[in-house]
Structures are given as C-alpha cells and as structure tokens.
C-alpha cells in the first residue's frame, strides 16, 4: 500500500524527471551516458554500420529485435499486452518456452478499466503492469488497445476502452504514463480503424474525415500528445488503400507530422506487405510471423522481412539512400535509451501483493450494476442458501482470446470467490452447471488444467438447476461469453448478439423458478437479453483477471458498493446499431472484384457511433452509455457556470452531488455538450468531462468540471481542422447519458 501511494504521489512528476538525470555510475564502454537522449541517439547512429542499422529495425524472434552488441546496446524485448505480460514463447515458434517465472497477474480487461471511469486507477494499472514487464525483461508492452467499439460483434472489443473517444482519451493517457514511468514503452494499438476482426488483413476502411478525427483518432492523439507514448502499433487493415502499418496519410502525415510523435511505429505481427511502402510510409520496426501475412514460415524468415536483407540490398544498389533508414534507426535508438538503456529504471516485481490489490480494485470499480429491481442485491447471506449456476462461475477466463491470453499465478473463479467470502458464515452454497460451453481450456500451449467436461444434455442441465433453484434463497447465474473463437476473441467477430450455448433458456427457466435470480454477465461486449424483465438483478462482470471471483464477491455481498459505468451503449439488438443499419457495405464490407483480396467497409453511420446513433434515431437501448447503479442513491443538482458566455471556449461548471442513500459510495458525474445550431449535423450530445466522487451517506460535494474549445468543436472537412462555431451550447450534467438531471446554456462568442 505504501508503495502504491508513493507511486501515485510521484506519478505526476516522475516521468518528467526520469530521463533528464543520468547517473555516471554505470557508463557502458562505448556510449556516453552524460549526453541527453538526442545526443546519445546521434552518437550511436554515427557509429553504426549499415548491417547494424538494418538489424535493429526488424524482428529477430517472435517478440524481440536485435540491439547492437558492439556498442553495448542490448536486444529489445516486447510482449503482449494489454492485460498482463504474456508468457514467453519459443524463439521462433508460438509454442510455450516452458519458463517457470512467467506466471503473471492478470489485470481486468481494458473494457473493465474503462468502466471504472477512474483515470487514477488507470495510472496505477499501467504502473503495476510496467513492474511486471520489468521483472520479465520486457522493454515494450504491446498495449493498450484503444480501437473504438463500433459494433457489439467486435471480437476484440474486450481489449479496448469502449465507444467514446473522450472517455478513451482520458483513460489511455494515465495508462501510458503509468507504464512508461517505470521505463517500459507502451505500444498503443491498433492504429487505426481496426474495428473488425473477421477480415482484419483485408478490410479497407472508408470513413469520412469527420468520423476519423472525431471518433476514431482522439484516443490515439491523446496517447501521443498528452501521454507521450513511445510506441504505436500500425493496424492490419487498410485505409485509403494502404495497409496501416505503412500508410502515408495516417503515419507520416497525421501521427508523425501533425501530432509530432517521436517514438517508434511497430508493425502489427505480419502487417507489412510492401518494401517501398515499408521504407517510405512511416513504419519503423517490422515484427511478425514470417513474411507474407501470417501464413508461411521459412527457416531464415527474419532475413526475408521487408525491412531486412531486401532493404539492405536495395540501399546498396542505390534504390534508396539511408535517409529513411536513419530516421527509423533514430526512433529505435530513442526507444532504447528510454527503456533498455535507461539506468534510472526501478526494479520489477512479478505478482506482488500490490499488483493483486490493483487488479482487485480495478475489477471492483469496473463491475457495473445494470439492474437491481426490488434491491435483490446485495445479497444477505445469513442463514441463506445460494445456488450458483453456470459455466462461467468456474471457468478460467485468462487463457484464450488471442494475443492477450495469459498464464497466471492464480485466477479466482466467481464460485471460489463466493465460497471464500462466505466460508465462515452459516450460508450454504450449491453449484449447478446449467449449460456447457467451451470446455477446451488451452491457448498456445497454456492449459487451464480444468476438466470442464460434462456430457449431460441441455435439458438435463436445466432441469437440475431449476430443481435446486426452487429451494434456494438466491440464484446467481454466471453466464455470458468466453474467449473462444467467434466470441470475445481475436481473429473473428461474433456472428450474433445472442448468448451462446442455450443460455437464454436456462436464464428464463431459473427466473421463473426463483424470484431472487441474479444474472452476472461475463463478456467484453453487450449481449441481447430477451429475459431482462424477468430477471431482477443484472451485473456486468467483464473479464476480470486474477481477482475475478474476489471482486465479484465484494460486489455481490455489498462489501464494495458498485460504481462502474458502461463505456458503451448496451443496444437491445443489432438493429439499434449504426454500423448495422446500412447493410453489408457498412459491416463487414463488400469484396472488391472476384479475387477476395480487399473488402471495402464503409462506415456509413459516420460520426454516429454508440449513443450518438441511438440519440439521433431516438432509440432506447437496453442500458445507456454511462449507466451504472449503486447500492446507494445520488442526486446531481444545482449546475452553474460562472459566465454564460465564453470567448476562448474555456468553461468551468460546478455541480452538487449528494449521496441520498444509506451507504458510502462513488458516483461518476458526467458532462455532455450539445451544439444548439451548427452548419453541420452534430450529435445530440457528446461526453466532454467527467469526475468520479466518493461520498458518505448524506454528504454533498461540489464537483468542478471544465471544458475547452475542442469540446465545442467539430472536425471541419473544408479547412481540415477543428472548428467551433459561435452561438449557443447546452451543458448537461448527470450520472448517466440517459440521466442528465441538470442543464445550463452558454454562448461561444
Ligand atoms: C495482434 C496484436 C499483438 C500481436 C503480437 C497480433 O496478431 O493483432 O495485438 O500484439 O499479434 O502477439
């Protein structure tokens, strides 16, 4: 605890001072550490041979690239990302290396982190992850992932921070800073427009400039400009017919020129496709799986990378000068000096108590109480019988899902969490399987060791659960998705919004049998809930990592008061989703020609993603963006601003928040802006500020929320810049996008 507090205190100042102070104690043989980073970069660059320069800009193994041994620069190790440090694989194979020191803490998935709406926790998350990375000798973590949740079918939404560019921006910056504060680079991914998994290597996204700048880029821009991210990963897909790993417009123009990014652009694994583009269009380091987009291997594969021997040969033949090469190497060296060569780095820790505490706190604060009719929750366990149902009550969720799969020191399941919490009480817990989903439990050679096999039919499983439910005081179902293909998993998107494995039948049957039925949904995506009215309590439990069961027990028993808020709109069905309102052309796209090489996907909903779409269409989602209940109640009132006019767009609002219930709790005060009249169509409202507050029963706090001109602006396609038009605006404040209890009007001069 002391350690974490110290970190939080030092957090703001540490990253500024980290690299300006250089110790003379350990000067390597060849490089002069007294010089600042830029001088050291130039010094090293001037000493490197062509072959050495080529070596540092491409992979030499699945997750490493070469340093320059002759100059005392060690190899550079990266690793996934983003929820914990991935276990080591073999040098050039995906199989496990079989290390015994790579069992990590799994932190909650980033959807849960975003649902905390707590930037300080995000800093703590990044810092803890950084310490785990340091212990494991990794200089760059391949994360965070911040692609926008465009459709609830998105296979990797669980790894991202939801649908809103502002929320994503506020949460990504501290993650990056926390991670980098210990000298580990973040590699913010997947830049950009990687909102579909199914055809991720072939999708060419067509999107308006407005939607690009207003929805899909702000998170990356904030990570780079405010977070000062040292790495960015190019995405697999195409934009303007160029792959995003070497894209003139997104990398050279926007990222490097407009935003001033000075770190490295790393290709997604196997995401480079062309030598000339790889040389000229902003790619700095090529990583991947063999050479031709994740398909074929060769024994000397790394030599065959675009930024490898063929680039060297082309330079020697005079096709390229070393201008582009030197620029790439500069960025790589800068990254070395920020990370591996940074002598001020603190020590790393794996699986420290503080990391578990952070994981638990993030989980507690991110779990969302979606519905609580009749105050069924929190449970009152004394003398009661609780029936726990569902595969997700016992299934390990940290293994699977693709590159974010982890090998954990421990993962506490929801059932174990409840059993542990209630073990010294007179409450009885029973378990019924209810449904059988995916029993395989292994990813890339990491196995959960769980035997989840059950050969009973769905009817038998439901009958058993219903029978037990009849005599229980509470039924708690843990269902949802898992990390199997076509669910919350890399490589494919979901095929429908429905719950898999016949869970709807199970939930309906249990809700009929027992009026105190609680459904806990484990997923990173919204699922359809045709039984919503029959089930009194619904909790969104995300993928919570190592402390999943502990944190869920904290919430269900009321040891912790829920305070998570949805980072995306919980649409009732796909018909309510903008991306699904324009046919195949908008999702998943239409093949160009017969060869199936490129599939064009046009984001026809434009800027109207998530609540921007439901607002525009006047739809009522199952649960709104920013929604989340508590075991206490809050009143948000008395919104005021000092001025009712602004010349520069800067505005300060004050609002009172009162805990009107009987338990201490946290609320998230959210401010949305409406542009009353504008020359272009604007969203009905957009999130522009928020703050999480903790209040004792009866306590009132005044919260200050500020906005600036950017909060009033739209991306003007005529001038290629942000523009705020003078006139009237409305600021709405409340604690969910559909519970905005206060408003004030103001004018921009
Ligand atoms: C994923 C990245 C990941 C990389 C390395 C790719 O397939 O898209 O997110 O970091 O593999 O595992």
């Amino acid at each position: 605890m002391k350690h974490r507090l110290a970190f939080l205190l030092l957090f703001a100042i540490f990253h500024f001072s980290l690299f300006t102070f250089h110790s003379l104690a350990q000067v390597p043989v060849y490089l002069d550490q007294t010089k600042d980073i830029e001088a050291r970069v130039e010094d090293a660059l001037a000493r490197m041979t062509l072959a050495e320069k080529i070596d540092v800009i491409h992979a030499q193994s699945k997750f490493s690239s070469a340093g320059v041994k002759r100059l005392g620069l060690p190899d550079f190790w990266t690793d996934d990302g983003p929820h914990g440090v991935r276990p080591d694989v073999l040098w050039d194979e995906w199989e496990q290396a079989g290390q015994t020191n790579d069992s990590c803490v799994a932190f909650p998935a980033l959807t849960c982190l975003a649902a905390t709406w707590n930037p300080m926790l995000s800093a703590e998350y990044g810092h803890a992850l950084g310490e785990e990375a340091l212990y494991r000798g990794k200089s760059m973590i391949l994360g965070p992932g911040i692609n926008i949740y465009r459709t609830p079918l998105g296979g990797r939404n669980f790894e991202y921070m939801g649908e809103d560019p502002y929320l994503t921006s506020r949460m990504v910056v501290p993650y990056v800073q926390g991670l980098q504060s210990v000298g580990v680079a973040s590699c913010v991914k997947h830049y950009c427009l990687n909102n579909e998994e199914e055809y991720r290597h072939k999708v060419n996204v067509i999107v308006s400039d407005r939607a690009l700048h207003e929805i899909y880029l702000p998170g990356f821009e904030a990570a780079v400009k405010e977070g000062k991210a040292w790495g960015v990963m190019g995405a697999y897909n195409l934009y303007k017919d160029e792959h995003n790993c070497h894209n003139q417009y997104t990398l050279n123009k926007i990222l490097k020129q407009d935003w001033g990014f000075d770190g490295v652009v790393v290709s997604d694994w196997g995401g480079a496709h062309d030598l000339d583009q790889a040389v000229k269009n902003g790619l700095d380091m090529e990583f991947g799986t063999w050479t031709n987009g994740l398909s074929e291997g060769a024994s000397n594969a790394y030599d065959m990378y675009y930024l490898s021997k063929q680039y060297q040969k082309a330079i020697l033949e005079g096709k390229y000068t070393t201008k582009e090469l030197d620029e790439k190497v500069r960025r790589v060296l800068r990254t070395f000096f920020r990370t591996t060569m940074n002598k001020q780095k603190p020590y790393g820790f794996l699986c420290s108590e503080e990391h578990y505490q952070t994981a638990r706190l993030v989980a507690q604060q991110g779990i969302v109480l979606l519905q609580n009719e009749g105050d069924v929750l929190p449970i009152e366990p004394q003398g009661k019988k609780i029936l726990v149902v569902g595969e997700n009550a016992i299934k390990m969720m940290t293994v699977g899902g693709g590159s974010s799969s982890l090998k954990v020191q421990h993962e506490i399941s929801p059932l174990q969490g409840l059993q542990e919490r209630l073990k010294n009480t007179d409450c009885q817990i029973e378990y019924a399987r209810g449904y059988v989903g995916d029993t395989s439990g292994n990813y890339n050679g990491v196995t959960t060791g769980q035997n989840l096999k059950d050969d009973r039919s769905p009817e038998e499983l439901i009958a058993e659960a219903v029978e037990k439910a009849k005599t229980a005081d509470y039924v708690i179902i843990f269902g949802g998705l898992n990390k199997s293909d076509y669910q919350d998993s890399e490589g494919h998107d979901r095929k429908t919004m429905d719950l898999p494995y016949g869970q709807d039948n199970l939930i309906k049957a249990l809700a009929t049998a027992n009026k105190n039925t609680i459904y806990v949904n484990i997923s990173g995506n919204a699922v359809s809930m045709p039984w919503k009215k029959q089930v009194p309590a619904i909790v969104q439990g995300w993928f919570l990592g190592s402390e999943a069961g502990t944190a869920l027990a904290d919430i269900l028993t009321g040891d912790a008061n829920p305070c998570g808020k949805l980072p995306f709109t919980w649409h009732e069905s796909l018909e309510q989703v903008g991306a699904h309102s324009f046919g195949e052309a908008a999702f998943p796209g239409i093949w160009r020609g017969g060869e199936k090489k490129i599939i064009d996907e046009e984001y026809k909903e434009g800027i109207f993603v998530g609540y921007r779409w439901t607002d525009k269409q006047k739809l009522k989602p199952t649960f709104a963006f920013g929604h989340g209940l508590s075991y206490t109640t809050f009143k948000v009132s008395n919104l005021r601003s000092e001025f009712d006019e602004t010349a520069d767009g800067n505005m300060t609002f004050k609002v009172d928040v009162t805990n009107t219930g009987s338990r201490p709790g946290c609320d998230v005060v959210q401010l949305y802006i409406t542009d009353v009249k504008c020359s272009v169509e604007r969203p009905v409202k957009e999130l522009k500020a928020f703050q999480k507050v903790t209040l004792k029963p009866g306590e009132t706090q005044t919260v200050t929320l500020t906005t600036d001109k950017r909060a009033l602006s739209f991306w003007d396609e005529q001038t290629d810049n942000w523009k705020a038009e003078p006139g009237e605006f409305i600021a709405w404040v409340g604690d969910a996008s559909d519970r905005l209890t206060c408003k004030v009007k103001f004018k921009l001069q």
Side-chain angles (χ1 to χ4, degrees):
M1 179 55 97
K2 232 194 288 161
H3 190 191
R4 184 197 307 152
L5 284 177
F7 159 66
L8 290 175
L9 279 173
L10 289 174
F11 168 69
I13 46 168
F14 187 46
H15 64 282
F16 289 118
S17 58
L18 191 59
F19 305 108
T20 51
F21 172 67
H22 301 289
S23 152
L24 288 172
Q26 299 175 49
V27 180
V29 187
Y30 297 102
L31 296 167
D32 183 353
Q33 286 223 20
T34 56
K35 295 186 174 145
D36 67 17
I37 284 187
E38 292 311 310
R40 294 167 76 192
V41 165
E42 294 306 324
D43 175 39
L45 185 70
R47 297 165 193 251
M48 287 168 73
T49 64
L50 176 62
E52 284 168 344
K53 289 180 183 176
I54 292 288
D55 277 351
V56 301
I57 60 165
H58 72 276
Q60 60 169 2
S61 78
K62 284 274 175 279
F63 285 99
S64 76
S65 56
V68 190
K69 294 184 184 65
R70 192 176 59 85
L71 299 180
L73 299 171
D75 289 351
F76 183 71
W77 282 88
T78 71
D79 208 358
D80 287 295
H83 309 138
V85 188
R86 181 176 176 159
D88 288 336
V89 296
L90 291 172
W91 186 257
D92 189 23
E93 300 294 334
W94 288 110
E95 276 71 48
Q96 292 301 300
Q99 315 280 29
T100 50
N101 65 348
D102 58 354
S103 301
C104 66
V105 173
F107 298 92
L110 294 195
T111 17
C112 174
L113 178 63
T116 68
W117 293 57
N118 186 340
M120 281 298 273
L121 264 187
S122 190
E124 201 171 316
Y125 186 120
H127 179 258
L129 179 62
E131 287 192 335
E132 299 246 328
L134 279 182
Y135 179 93
R136 298 270 311 281
K138 313 296 180 192
S139 292
M140 173 182 272
I141 284 292
L142 305 172
I146 54 165
N147 295 93
I148 290 289
Y149 180 117
R150 178 176 175 244
T151 150
L153 302 189
R156 289 185 90 170
N157 282 344
F158 73 99
E159 289 184 63
Y160 305 146
M161 294 187 172
E163 74 184 25
D164 186 76
Y166 182 79
L167 177 63
T168 300
S169 302
R170 291 310 98 220
M171 297 303 288
V172 71
V173 169
Y175 178 117
V176 168
Q177 292 174 333
L179 182 63
Q180 296 188 167
S181 71
V182 299
V184 175
S186 70
C187 187
V188 188
K189 68 189 189 186
H190 307 88
Y191 180 76
C192 57
L193 297 165
N194 186 182
N195 311 95
E196 166 179 324
E197 279 301 289
E198 201 60 44
Y199 305 113
R200 60 180 177 166
H201 299 284
K202 296 180 174 177
V203 165
N204 177 54
V205 173
I206 301 166
V207 62
S208 69
D209 278 358
R210 262 194 84 187
L212 179 71
H213 287 274
E214 291 185 28
I215 306 293
Y216 296 99
L217 292 186
F220 291 101
E221 183 181 2
V224 167
K225 286 195 190 162
E226 294 175 60
K228 306 272 180 245
W230 295 334
V232 165
M233 184 187 287
Y236 281 136
N237 55 289
L238 300 92
Y239 170 62
K240 290 189 190 286
D241 280 358
E242 275 178 2
H243 282 96
N244 278 332
C245 289
H246 35 63
N247 188 303
Q248 162 62 24
Y249 188 68
T250 56
L251 295 176
N252 279 345
K253 159 101 177 52
I254 297 178
L255 179 72
K256 292 185 174 176
Q257 184 188 310
D258 296 352
W259 298 346
F261 175 67
D262 69 357
V264 273
V265 171
V266 172
S267 72
D268 198 346
W269 267 226
H273 296 268
D274 179 89
L275 173 63
D276 200 50
Q277 291 186 16
V279 171
K280 293 179 182 159
N281 291 357
L283 178 64
D284 300 310
M285 291 179 106
E286 183 181 0
F287 275 87
T289 313
W290 307 310
T291 49
N292 68 343
L294 307 174
S295 55
E296 284 168 29
S299 57
N300 58 341
Y302 300 105
D303 288 348
M304 288 156 62
Y305 276 31
Y306 296 101
L307 296 187
S308 182
K309 297 281 181 239
Q310 48 182 309
Y311 185 21
Q312 188 171 345
K313 186 163 168 272
I315 290 176
L316 289 172
E317 285 169 357
K319 286 194 190 130
Y320 302 107
T321 66
T322 53
K323 180 172 155 263
E324 292 93 355
L325 176 65
D326 285 349
E327 183 50 24
K328 293 177 202 298
V329 175
R330 267 192 194 97
R331 289 171 182 270
V332 172
L333 290 171
R334 197 174 288 136
T335 311
F336 287 177
F337 288 116
R338 287 168 164 169
T339 59
T340 45
M341 292 298 289
N342 165 20
K343 298 290 177 211
Q344 310 305 320
K345 282 200 303 271
Y347 292 108
F349 298 93
L350 192 69
C351 299
S352 78
E353 294 82 353
E354 276 148 12
H355 298 174
Y356 282 115
Q357 274 176 29
T358 300
R360 181 169 176 176
L361 202 61
V362 171
Q364 277 178 359
Q365 290 213 8
I367 292 169
V368 185
L369 179 61
L370 292 171
Q371 174 165 299
N372 195 17
E373 298 297 330
D375 292 341
V376 171
L377 284 173
I379 54 171
E380 281 163 13
Q382 297 77 14
K384 302 281 171 52
K385 190 169 129 189
I386 298 177
L387 175 66
V388 173
V389 185
E391 184 168 287
N392 285 354
I394 55 172
K395 185 177 170 65
M396 276 182 74
M397 289 293 185
T398 48
V399 175
S403 54
S404 64
S405 181
L406 297 171
K407 173 173 144 194
V408 288
Q409 189 195 44
H410 75 240
E411 174 178 346
I412 300 179
S413 73
L415 179 61
Q416 285 167 339
L418 279 170
Q419 282 166 336
E420 182 60 26
R421 166 63 178 79
L422 299 173
K423 70 180 177 203
N424 295 325
T425 68
D426 57 0
C427 165
Q428 277 179 54
I429 301 184
E430 261 204 284
Y431 175 71
R433 180 67 174 265
Y435 71 92
V436 177
D438 175 9
T439 58
S440 57
N442 99 57
Y443 183 82
N444 262 134
V446 178
T447 49
T448 62
Q450 291 188 299
N451 181 2
L452 296 178
K453 204 165 163 327
D454 193 324
D455 291 329
R456 287 174 293 170
S457 69
E459 293 72 28
E460 286 172 303
L461 292 165
I462 293 180
E464 180 206 32
V466 167
E467 211 33 53
K468 289 183 173 170
K470 285 182 187 157
T471 56
D473 296 291
Y474 294 101
V475 176
I476 311 181
I477 311 166
F478 292 90
L481 307 178
N482 56 37
K483 302 278 190 71
S484 316
D485 264 0
Y486 296 100
Q487 294 200 34
D488 282 328
S489 186
E490 184 174 336
H492 295 290
D493 294 310
R494 297 164 70 200
K495 289 179 174 162
T496 82
M497 243 188 104
D498 297 339
L499 279 174
Y501 317 128
Q503 290 179 74
D504 286 341
N505 293 337
L506 171 73
I507 298 166
K508 277 183 212 153
L510 289 171
T512 311
N514 191 308
K515 64 175 182 11
N516 287 335
T517 293
I518 297 150
Y519 173 68
V520 183
N521 187 65
I522 306 296
S523 77
N525 265 312
V527 299
S528 49
M529 295 182 164
W531 33 260
K532 182 188 165 223
K533 289 205 174 90
Q534 289 145 262
V535 177
I538 305 177
V539 174
Q540 175 56 17
W542 311 115
F543 295 110
L544 297 176
S546 289
E547 292 294 322
T550 327
L552 282 164
D554 291 337
I555 295 292
L556 295 170
T557 59
D559 291 351
N561 196 347
C563 59
K565 299 276 182 181
L566 282 179
F568 53 74
T569 306
W570 199 290
H571 299 104
E572 200 174 272
S573 66
L574 291 184
E575 283 76 62
Q576 281 196 349
V577 182
H580 294 278
S581 304
F582 300 90
E584 278 188 7
F587 183 89
I590 293 179
W591 290 105
R592 193 189 292 176
E595 284 185 291
K596 295 218 161 178
K597 283 202 172 145
I598 292 185
I599 178 166
D600 286 310
E601 185 182 25
E602 189 174 352
Y603 290 11
K604 291 186 183 235
E605 73 283 9
I607 57 169
F608 298 100
V609 175
Y611 65 87
R612 290 164 171 82
W613 179 259
T614 44
D615 278 356
K616 175 177 155 71
Q617 303 297 110
K618 300 193 172 52
L619 300 166
K620 193 171 161 10
T622 304
F623 301 109
F625 173 79
H627 166 80
L629 304 172
S630 163
Y631 298 147
T632 186
T633 47
F634 296 99
K635 188 173 152 211
V636 179
S637 61
N638 192 21
L639 174 65
R640 63 260 185 211
S641 61
E642 205 177 329
F643 307 105
D644 53 12
E645 240 179 44
T646 163
D648 54 11
N650 295 335
M651 288 289 291
T652 301
F653 303 92
K654 288 191 190 305
V655 68
D656 299 333
V657 199
T658 308
N659 181 342
T660 49
S662 54
R663 283 172 186 259
C666 294
D667 201 15
V668 179
V669 183
Q670 306 166 30
L671 180 142
Y672 296 78
I673 299 268
T674 300
D675 187 351
V676 176
K677 194 161 161 268
C678 187
S679 59
V680 296
E681 189 182 7
R682 310 263 336 240
V684 172
K685 61 176 187 292
E686 294 185 282
L687 180 73
K688 293 299 173 186
F690 62 86
Q691 195 177 310
K692 195 159 196 168
V693 271
T694 306
L695 296 167
K696 294 190 212 88
E699 187 186 347
T700 299
Q701 261 185 47
T702 299
V703 171
T704 304
L705 299 159
T706 57
T707 59
D708 57 14
K709 196 158 192 176
R710 175 81 174 254
L712 312 181
S713 305
F714 62 93
W715 182 261
D716 181 17
E717 296 186 336
Q718 311 306 320
T719 58
D720 229 6
N721 212 336
W722 295 98
K723 181 175 182 183
E725 286 181 357
E728 199 170 72
F729 290 83
I730 303 173
W732 307 85
V733 176
D735 56 7
S737 69
D738 63 346
R739 230 168 77 98
L740 299 172
T741 42
C742 314
K743 71 169 182 179
V744 290
K745 291 187 178 165
F746 64 96
K747 274 202 180 112
L748 175 68
Q749 284 165 12

